Each structure stands twice: as structure tokens, then as C-alpha cells.
Amino acid sequence: MRTFLLFILVLVAPRGFSVEFAAPSRPIIIAHRGASGYLPEHTLEAKVAAHVMGADYLEQDLVLSKDGVPVVLHDIYIDTVTDVAERFPDRKRADGRYYAIDFTLVELKQLKVTERFNPKTRQAVFKNRFPVWQSAFQIPTFEEEIQLIQGLNKSSGREAGIYPEIKAPAWHRKQGQDISKMVLPILDRYGYRTKADKIYLQCFEHEEVKRLRTELGYRGRLIQLLDNEPENQFLRTRAGLEQVAKVADGIGPAIPFVVSAGTNGTYQVSDLVTNAHALKLEVHPFTFRAEDLPKYASSLEELFRIFLVEIRVDGVFTDFPDRGVAFLRAQQNVR
Ligand code: CA
């Protein structure tokens, strides 16, 4: 009887709806470091913009301060987005870099945050984005950002989720700090506990993904990120994905692992998404940027079409969440 009902369900289900697959019925737009195409990454201002633009999830990259407070920063370094070299010139390490973990929260709060720049040339990484050193921005703590998002969820009546990343857990341990142990109690306190809650927790290091699920007892949705590190090369294989599926709910691969560029604007789709979907893993590739398009896509919208319509990934990380939301709305109108 159950099999028969399932069969009927499959017959009447609209195209693209899978009975077995627990992923959301519509792909999600993840604001990569906030609306970072418009405002300096990981500022509260960039998160407000992303929320108002209608992003489904807002990303937080997390590192620890010297006093163990999770703050929202993409790098373990702070010399790519702040004036630390001017304010604390004698606090760099032997390698010439300034590290968030060498500064207390009080000190980090004294820094001026700006659009990302190259610390050697002092030039903006993305020339057409928000001007470097213009206006006043600060490094937010993870808690400050959650409070802001939950406030906007209430006032707008639309619940955007959070998408925090545990950055460099092995490196943090070498510095004598356990970042996951500092982040998980905050998630618990703000109600991000189960797979029904609007959170995806993400990490590149597979050992830490396993640890979060087992030793540390995290029960919410978990994403294994995939980059070019040697351990990740195995994880991208069918056998590797099976290993991932034991602990995680999805993968976050870099764009070239899903689609590779051929000659004359052609492209090839790898079997990564097919394999992941067969294991009921969601797929959220990164990063969709208007200024950084692969050769086979003439516009950001064309890139969205290839991934969201043709390959049917479950979400995308984009610096331009407004354009992702507009693309999905246009798709719904077409149907
Ligand atoms: Ca990230």
C-alpha cells in the first residue's frame, strides 16, 4: 500500500519534485558574506541589505578573537579588510600578517573595516564595488549578527536563515583554541538546534564535520565544503560522498567541480551533483560573482540558469543576492 501511494505521489508530483529527496522544493539564495557585491563583506550593513533583498540564508564566516569570541570575518588575517596595519603596526607576526586571534574583542572593535583590498598593493580586489576606506564599518561578533538577523526576521515577517562557517578549526587548535566549542553554545542559545531550524553549518575540514556531528552532538543541518585541498579530492568521488553522507546533509563545492569550461564557450558538467543527489545530499556551489564569470557564461543570470535550471543544484552562494532572488522569481513566472 505504501509503495502504491508513493507511486501515485510520483505520478502527480510537479516536475522537479522528488518524493524521496528532502531538499527544499525551491533552490535557496545564500548571501555570500552578505550582499558583498554592494557593501564591504561581513559588515552588519551588508547583512541588512541581503535580508531586505530577500536572500534565503545569510552567510557568516567565523574566527575567534584572542579572548575566544566568535567574530564574523572571512580570513584568519585581518589585514585584508581593516586598518590594523596603521592602528597596531607592531602587532604583526614574523610572516608580516596580522591575525584576528592575536587581538582581543575590544581591540578588534577599534578597527575600521573596509572593502577587501590587497594588503601589498593597497588596491581594491573588486574595482567596481564599494570604495575602499569609505564610510565607517566594524567587525561584528557572531551574536551581534544573529540578533540583527532575528530582529529583521521579526520586523519583516520573513525568516532568513543563517549559514555559519567554522573557519580553520585545526589551525585554531594549534593556537590553543577550540572554535567549534565556542560556536555551538551560541547556536543553541539562539534556537538553531535541529534540522527544522533555519541553519546550515558549514566547514571545509572533514574531520571537524565528523566531530561536530558525533563528539560535539550538533543536530542541525551540516554542509561539507569542497575545495582543492588533497583530502577534499577524495571527498568529491562517489566513495568520498558516501562518507560525507554519513554525517552531513549536503556539500558546498567550488563552481569548477560542478562545471568545467571547454573550448569556444562550451562546458562540461561533472557527475558530482548526480552522485550527491543520489545520496540525498543537497548541493550549494560557490561563488556566483558578476565580475568573475567563467568563460561559458556571458552573464551572472546565464550562470544561475546553468546551475539552477539545467543542473538543478539546491542553492547558490552569491555576492549579488538581489539578482539571485530576481532570477528565481522570473523562473516561477515562466512556469
Ligand atoms: Ca565561507
Side-chain angles (χ1 to χ4, degrees):
M1 184 61 184
R2 218 173 135 218
T3 317
F4 178 71
L5 276 177
L6 206 65
F7 178 67
I8 294 293
L9 250 176
V10 170
L11 281 183
V12 299
R15 204 170 72 87
F17 180 83
S18 159
V19 175
E20 285 191 344
F21 192 40
S25 53
R26 158 177 97 62
I28 56 169
I29 300 300
I30 307 149
H32 181 248
R33 311 182 198 172
S36 57
Y38 302 95
L39 282 155
E41 65 182 50
H42 286 322
T43 57
L44 291 183
E45 288 81 353
K47 302 305 164 75
V48 172
H51 197 295
V52 174
M53 286 172 181
D56 299 292
Y57 284 81
L58 312 188
E59 188 197 30
Q60 300 79 33
D61 290 306
L62 300 176
V63 302
L64 292 181
S65 68
K66 189 177 187 175
D67 39 351
V69 181
V71 292
V72 186
L73 280 168
H74 180 263
D75 304 332
I76 54 176
Y77 316 107
I78 42 179
D79 46 25
T80 49
V81 290
T82 76
D83 60 349
V84 66
E86 289 79 47
R87 281 200 69 93
F88 299 98
D90 55 344
R91 300 275 294 276
K92 57 175 176 277
R93 291 195 182 184
D95 63 1
R97 304 299 303 265
Y98 297 82
Y99 291 75
I101 205 160
D102 294 336
F103 295 82
T104 63
L105 180 61
V106 168
E107 289 169 336
L108 290 176
K109 283 288 184 185
Q110 292 167 32
L111 300 176
K112 183 173 174 175
V113 171
T114 185
E115 179 65 30
R116 175 170 288 269
F117 61 94
N118 179 324
K120 286 198 182 116
T121 65
R122 312 290 291 174
Q123 298 299 307
V125 171
F126 294 102
K127 282 196 283 295
N128 293 326
R129 292 192 177 182
F130 199 89
V132 178
W133 302 120
Q134 188 151 305
S135 299
F137 303 100
Q138 262 197 340
I139 297 173
T141 67
F142 186 32
E143 280 203 72
E144 285 166 351
E145 180 158 334
I146 292 176
Q147 287 173 12
L148 178 87
I149 292 168
Q150 294 194 343
L152 282 166
N153 287 349
K154 179 170 182 281
S155 60
S156 70
R158 189 186 74 86
E159 192 186 0
I162 63 170
Y163 209 128
E165 178 181 345
I166 309 271
K167 279 281 175 189
W171 182 85
H172 273 91
R173 262 194 295 281
K174 275 190 210 140
Q175 313 298 315
Q177 300 220 48
D178 189 336
I179 181 166
S180 293
K181 279 196 174 168
M182 304 310 285
V183 169
L184 289 183
I186 297 175
L187 297 182
D188 188 65
R189 203 172 328 132
Y190 286 90
Y192 300 104
R193 300 184 187 115
T194 72
K195 292 186 188 185
D197 299 318
K198 288 201 89 173
I199 178 172
Y200 288 92
L201 185 62
Q202 48 168 341
C203 189
F204 275 108
E205 293 176 21
H206 186 57
E207 282 309 307
E208 196 72 5
V209 169
K210 281 195 283 188
R211 181 174 175 251
L212 284 160
R213 188 61 96 204
T214 54
E215 183 190 330
L216 300 177
Y218 169 71
R219 291 184 295 122
R221 282 173 296 186
L222 192 53
I223 297 290
Q224 170 72 56
L225 296 170
L226 299 172
D227 62 7
N228 248 337
E229 292 300 306
E231 73 153 10
N232 279 191
Q233 286 172 21
F234 165 69
L235 294 178
R236 294 203 304 273
T237 65
R238 173 78 199 207
L241 289 172
E242 282 172 14
Q243 195 173 304
V244 169
K246 286 180 187 159
V247 284
D249 302 280
I251 55 169
I255 282 178
F257 301 147
V258 179
V259 177
S260 53
T263 48
N264 298 327
T266 59
Y267 57 90
Q268 283 189 317
V269 181
S270 77
D271 54 7
L272 184 69
V273 177
T274 310
N275 285 341
H277 280 173
L279 291 160
K280 296 175 189 167
L281 289 166
E282 291 181 58
V283 183
H284 301 161
F286 64 87
T287 306
F288 290 69
R289 288 183 168 127
E291 311 96 325
D292 192 15
L293 294 170
K295 282 198 184 107
Y296 53 84
S298 57
S299 67
L300 185 59
E301 284 67 26
E302 172 65 1
L303 194 60
F304 285 143
R305 190 198 62 76
I306 292 168
F307 278 76
L308 292 168
V309 179
E310 197 176 309
I311 305 174
R312 308 184 82 107
V313 299
D314 308 286
V316 291
F317 283 92
T318 179
D319 294 359
F320 299 88
D322 56 336
R323 291 170 68 173
V325 170
F327 177 83
L328 286 184
R329 282 197 186 133
Q331 286 297 308
Q332 282 164 347
N333 291 338
V334 167
R335 274 183 200 161

